[in-house]
Amino acid sequence: MLEISSLNPSQRQAVRTHQGPLLVLAGAGTGKTRVITYRMADLISTGVEATRILSVTFTNKAAREMLERTTHLLGRSLKKRPVISTFHSWCVGILRQEIEALGYPKQFVIYDRGDQESAARKALQVLKMTDTALKPGDLLAQISRWKMQGLPPDVAQEVADSDQEQLAGMAYRRYQLSLKASGAVDFDDLLFLTWQLFKNHPEALARQQERFDFVQIDEYQDTNELQFRLVESIVRRHHNLCVVGDDDQSIYGWRGAEVKHILGFQQSYPAAKIVRLEDNYRCTAPIIQLANQLVSHNRGRHEKTLIAHKEGPGATFREYPDEQAEAEGVVRDISYLIHQLNVKPCDIAILFRTNEQPRIFEHELRRKQIHYRLVGGQSFFDRKEIKDLQAYLKVLVNPKDDLSLLRIINVPPRGIGDATCERLLARAVKEKRRFWDVIPDAAQAGEITTKALNNLRQFEQQLAGVREKFKNPSVKLSENFTHLVEAIGYSREIERTYKNTEQQEMRNLILGEFTNAIAQYENQAKSPSLTEYLDEISLGGSDFAAPERPDENAITLMTLHSAKGLEFSRVYLVGLEEGILPHKRSVDEEFEKPSSIEEERRLCYVGITRAKDHLTITRPQSRIKWGKKRETKPSRFLKEMITAIESRMVVEGGHPTSAARPPLRSGGTTSQPGGNR
């Protein structure tokens, strides 16, 4: 049996509970990942075959970390590996085996956001709907909501309760038919179609149920309705389900996550055992005191109180006259830490609620020549060059993917104009046939010129030749990709498009990064294939191309939603005012939907518990809105945190109390609950 003496009593209890439903309430910084990996290792050490264990999480990074830790614990004795993946990766694996039962090809492609918007626009055009009636983005948001509730197009139209939803229901049907005809699925389909498979094909569900004897779900508070149903289906046979999470960190309600799943776990599984992990090893005691005090104001939660195992500095509250002074004060503080106290920039983060907030902080950081990285900028896979070449790869895998074909048919230019494509596409839509299949009839009807026809045939032959090369198992994918780039003359296209030499070099470097990404995938995969690689980049592109590597010389700017799961030695939580945190949308709807304020409070709690050693919370007393300076109202969360420790608050009046803190801007005030302990 695995040695677990290094675990605390609650952790040991969770690790050693194998049979039946188990809820592990893991507060921030309490060793959640450690418990999950030790539990898998413990199951294997007691004789459970590794491949009979399924552990599902929400990010590829978390899945890799679990596998690495489990392998480290068991060492060479681990001959086979447990199945550790994200929800979407798990569902892709199921669909690759079973999707033909739903009328899709086994070699389906996964559409990214750009592909989805094109398909949505096409569906709206076919129905002759204008952007004023329904925008493609709004349609996709509604389709996503329906899919996450498990509603197919016919049912969605039945439950639609407004004229716009009725229009969206009609477009949803057309959108879904278009994807299916192209042998494609979108990101939500990975879950939605797996659920349809389980519901309508019991034999497929039975095959998946037979695969696993033990199932673990990480970050259970983030599950949506469809994920809840998938999990319930897969464990129905044995109920050996362990879910790990923290209802106090449920912050993704806007994308369908439902905190009720973790709050109602015992109602779903009456025999469930509950283990609470409350020993926090990340944050200092004053920071934990603030976090506990804040989140205790939420009514809908499991009772638990974090216990700090670190002593250290308290949290600092600072007020500034306006948002400019706030940015100047925070950046001046950071400059002092870096240049006078030799604090590593990578240990510092500025966290904010909205995407508009960082602009003024970026300006100040540039003025002070402090290097930073803004998390959430343009994705590597959103660049034009990558989307073009990814479309080529999709067409090589799935010749039925007309959407990807139309993106690349004249990139680089090959004499196939927009007018030709529009006529062929119109005929294909009308006759419900593939783009390539209508070419002979269109040529015979005189709808395309002889020159265009010859160019189309040459392109089709070129694709067929490259496709054959990719089928050769003795040649590396990265080599075939290089051949593809050369065959289509994409480097010449870069030279044609960008006249500036620096731009050309940068774009060619991007091509090199894509090649490196494919090579990296090949080195990690057991049986590399183009289909699997496209799955990988669709499910988590940043893992396989141009990842944002930690930069020791850069501080981090990110939203609170992006910060979940991370930790920094020093955190600046900025903009604590009504309308920002909590967000105006939640403030406006709090009487109709009180849960929205509770989620904002959880978001603030997440921000606080990202700080390991030092936390500074700031707010401006005024902010410019619509060109006019307006007074701000302090966030209600400030009052909720300070209530329990008012007697220990010190108003510093703008004067530093230690060498570690530079002078504040004139007029700023600092209050420091907890102090140094």
Side-chain angles (χ1 to χ4, degrees):
M1 192 172 281
L2 187 71
E3 173 55 50
I4 59 171
S5 59
S6 62
L7 303 179
N8 67 38
S10 296
Q11 291 173 335
R12 286 199 292 271
Q13 185 182 12
V15 166
R16 284 280 150 87
T17 303
H18 294 177
Q19 299 293 325
L22 169 66
L23 169 60
V24 180
L25 291 171
T30 57
K32 168 178 67 74
T33 305
R34 195 175 192 216
V35 166
I36 292 172
T37 52
Y38 263 86
R39 188 172 182 274
M40 280 191 290
D42 197 54
L43 282 166
I44 294 167
S45 71
T46 57
V48 175
E49 189 176 336
T51 55
R52 306 291 296 176
I53 301 170
L54 170 66
S55 195
V56 182
T57 186
F58 279 81
T59 67
N60 291 310
K61 178 184 175 184
R64 284 199 305 274
E65 184 181 355
M66 283 184 203
L67 182 58
E68 288 167 4
R69 289 199 190 187
T70 306
T71 304
H72 176 74
L73 284 173
L74 293 171
R76 294 181 181 179
S77 63
L78 186 61
K79 305 295 184 186
K80 297 179 180 178
R81 295 179 174 183
V83 178
I84 305 175
S85 75
T86 64
F87 268 103
H88 289 87
S89 295
W90 172 49
C91 289
V92 164
I94 293 170
L95 292 177
R96 287 291 175 207
Q97 300 169 26
E98 309 277 4
I99 199 170
E100 287 173 309
L102 299 175
Y104 287 78
K106 217 168 189 176
Q107 297 300 315
F108 63 86
V109 294
I110 304 169
Y111 276 179
D112 62 17
R113 179 69 185 187
D115 296 331
Q116 291 175 50
E117 287 182 354
S118 297
R121 192 170 290 107
K122 179 178 168 186
L124 292 170
Q125 287 170 350
V126 169
L127 295 171
K128 295 183 168 51
M129 292 185 195
T130 63
D131 271 7
T132 54
L134 191 62
K135 291 183 173 64
D138 294 337
L139 171 61
L140 290 174
Q142 182 59 63
I143 290 174
S144 180
R145 285 192 289 272
W146 278 328
K147 286 184 177 179
M148 289 306 98
Q149 293 168 23
L151 304 179
D154 54 342
V155 179
Q157 279 189 271
E158 289 177 10
V159 301
D161 58 5
S162 68
D163 290 343
Q164 190 175 54
E165 284 192 9
Q166 284 289 344
L167 293 175
M170 295 166 60
Y172 178 17
R173 181 187 297 276
R174 174 60 58 181
Y175 170 85
Q176 208 64 10
L177 287 171
S178 171
L179 262 63
K180 193 170 186 178
S182 296
V185 302
D186 65 21
F187 203 62
D188 290 329
D189 277 333
L190 299 177
L191 305 182
F192 175 69
L193 292 178
T194 303
W195 168 243
Q196 294 296 305
L197 183 76
F198 284 0
K199 189 172 68 167
N200 300 321
H201 298 272
E203 72 287 353
L205 172 59
R207 281 192 289 272
Q208 296 304 318
Q209 288 173 329
E210 289 296 323
R211 289 183 62 194
F212 304 109
D213 296 321
F214 296 91
V215 176
Q216 293 188 151
I217 309 296
D218 186 21
E219 303 287 9
Y220 191 66
Q221 77 279 350
D222 293 336
T223 53
N224 59 37
E225 182 61 29
L226 212 49
Q227 289 161 338
F228 173 80
R229 293 184 196 178
L230 290 170
V231 171
E232 188 280 327
S233 298
I234 211 74
V235 302
R236 201 176 292 158
R237 184 173 59 89
H238 50 64
H239 280 193
N240 288 333
L241 171 65
C242 169
V243 301
V244 184
D246 181 10
D247 49 292
D248 290 335
Q249 296 186 72
S250 179
I251 60 173
Y252 297 119
W254 51 276
R255 68 183 189 196
E258 298 193 38
V259 70
K260 69 178 184 180
H261 297 146
I262 193 167
L263 293 177
F265 188 75
Q266 279 187 300
Q267 283 71 50
S268 301
Y269 301 93
K273 182 175 183 177
I274 298 181
V275 176
R276 287 175 169 79
L277 305 183
E278 297 177 306
D279 294 280
N280 177 282
Y281 300 98
R282 176 193 296 157
C283 313
T284 62
I287 293 172
I288 290 301
Q289 185 182 15
L290 284 183
N292 283 334
Q293 173 63 19
L294 174 66
V295 82
S296 68
H297 286 77
N298 273 358
R299 294 181 179 179
R301 64 186 293 262
H302 286 289
E303 283 299 321
K304 54 188 169 304
T305 302
L306 293 182
I307 302 163
H309 283 254
K310 275 175 65 176
E311 293 297 327
T316 302
F317 290 81
R318 293 183 181 175
E319 283 187 338
Y320 296 92
D322 53 40
E323 72 268 41
Q324 179 65 45
E326 181 186 37
E328 289 175 1
V330 167
V331 172
R332 184 172 60 248
D333 206 15
I334 290 171
S335 177
Y336 184 86
L337 292 170
I338 293 171
H339 297 121
Q340 301 300 318
L341 300 183
N342 296 318
V343 173
K344 287 183 180 179
C346 62
D347 288 335
I348 304 171
I350 301 175
L351 306 183
F352 41 86
R353 173 63 179 89
T354 68
N355 288 317
E356 294 76 30
Q357 286 175 266
R359 178 191 59 79
I360 196 165
F361 290 92
E362 287 189 79
H363 176 78
E364 285 302 309
L365 288 165
R366 285 174 176 157
R367 196 169 66 82
K368 289 280 190 179
Q369 297 184 331
I370 297 174
H371 190 44
Y372 67 90
R373 65 185 189 114
L374 178 63
V375 175
Q378 185 184 32
S379 165
F380 181 82
F381 285 96
D382 287 338
R383 299 177 187 274
K384 178 186 181 299
E385 295 77 18
I386 301 306
K387 291 182 78 69
D388 286 346
L389 292 167
Q390 195 174 337
Y392 270 99
L393 296 178
K394 286 181 178 180
V395 170
L396 293 178
V397 166
N398 180 11
K400 292 173 66 177
D401 185 359
D402 286 350
L403 199 61
S404 295
L405 174 65
L406 289 169
R407 180 184 180 94
I408 62 171
I409 200 162
N410 207 38
V411 179
R414 48 177 63 90
I416 306 170
D418 290 343
T420 298
C421 291
E422 286 172 10
R423 284 192 287 270
L424 290 170
L425 183 60
R427 178 181 278 267
V429 170
K430 183 179 179 181
E431 298 178 5
K432 296 181 180 179
R433 297 165 66 195
R434 283 182 53 217
F435 184 88
W436 286 120
D437 295 341
V438 301
I439 291 174
D441 293 342
Q444 191 171 2
E447 294 173 5
I448 57 175
T449 65
T450 303
K451 182 181 178 182
L453 177 63
N454 290 335
N455 291 336
L456 284 162
R457 291 304 181 204
Q458 286 177 14
F459 182 48
E460 187 177 25
Q461 290 168 9
Q462 185 182 46
L463 287 175
V466 175
R467 189 176 290 116
E468 284 301 312
K469 284 185 175 294
F470 269 91
K471 289 179 181 177
N472 186 346
S474 63
V475 182
K476 289 187 173 182
L477 290 179
S478 51
E479 293 177 15
N480 279 327
F481 176 74
T482 302
H483 169 76
L484 167 66
V485 173
E486 292 173 354
I488 62 176
Y490 201 86
S491 293
R492 291 194 300 276
E493 168 67 358
I494 288 175
E495 292 174 9
R496 184 188 70 82
T497 307
Y498 304 99
K499 304 306 178 187
N500 183 290
T501 306
E502 289 183 7
Q503 282 283 338
Q504 292 175 6
E505 289 177 358
M506 187 181 77
R507 304 292 163 171
N508 278 308
L509 282 173
I510 291 171
L511 297 191
E513 282 288 350
F514 201 2
T515 309
N516 294 342
I518 296 173
Q520 180 185 349
Y521 156 74
E522 287 182 294
N523 292 336
Q524 294 178 358
K526 287 184 178 179
S527 303
S529 72
L530 185 55
T531 298
E532 186 182 75
Y533 177 66
L534 288 173
D535 287 349
E536 293 279 11
I537 58 177
S538 295
L539 295 169
S542 61
D543 288 345
F544 289 97
E548 288 197 58
R549 299 175 180 85
D551 185 345
E552 288 198 355
N553 295 315
I555 72 163
T556 300
L557 276 70
M558 61 168 50
T559 63
L560 288 165
H561 284 102
S562 300
K564 186 169 176 292
L566 303 178
E567 57 184 45
F568 301 89
S569 179
R570 296 171 183 267
V571 166
Y572 291 83
L573 180 54
V574 301
L576 263 285
E577 64 195 72
E578 291 289 295
I580 289 187
L581 186 61
H583 194 276
K584 182 180 184 299
R585 184 172 54 249
S586 298
V587 172
D588 290 344
E589 65 183 22
E590 67 174 304
F591 293 109
E592 296 178 9
K593 190 181 176 184
S595 61
S596 62
I597 289 292
E598 294 212 340
E599 179 155 324
E600 290 290 301
R601 190 176 285 110
R602 292 194 292 265
L603 192 57
C604 187
Y605 171 86
V606 165
I608 291 168
T609 53
R610 299 313 94 195
K612 296 193 292 183
D613 304 305
H614 301 266
L615 172 67
T616 301
I617 299 175
T618 70
R619 84 164 192 99
Q621 295 170 331
S622 65
R623 185 180 293 275
I624 294 177
K625 297 177 182 177
W626 301 103
K628 293 183 179 180
K629 180 173 281 193
R630 304 176 191 273
E631 286 190 10
T632 64
K633 186 178 179 181
S635 169
R636 68 190 71 187
F637 302 152
L638 286 174
K639 184 178 180 181
E640 291 170 0
M641 285 187 278
I642 292 171
T643 300
I645 42 181
E646 278 182 333
S647 61
R648 300 171 61 195
M649 189 193 317
V650 179
V651 179
E652 300 179 359
H655 299 291
T657 56
S658 72
R661 188 180 303 118
L664 297 178
R665 179 186 175 91
S666 176
T669 61
T670 300
S671 55
Q672 188 169 356
N676 294 319
R677 298 181 59 186

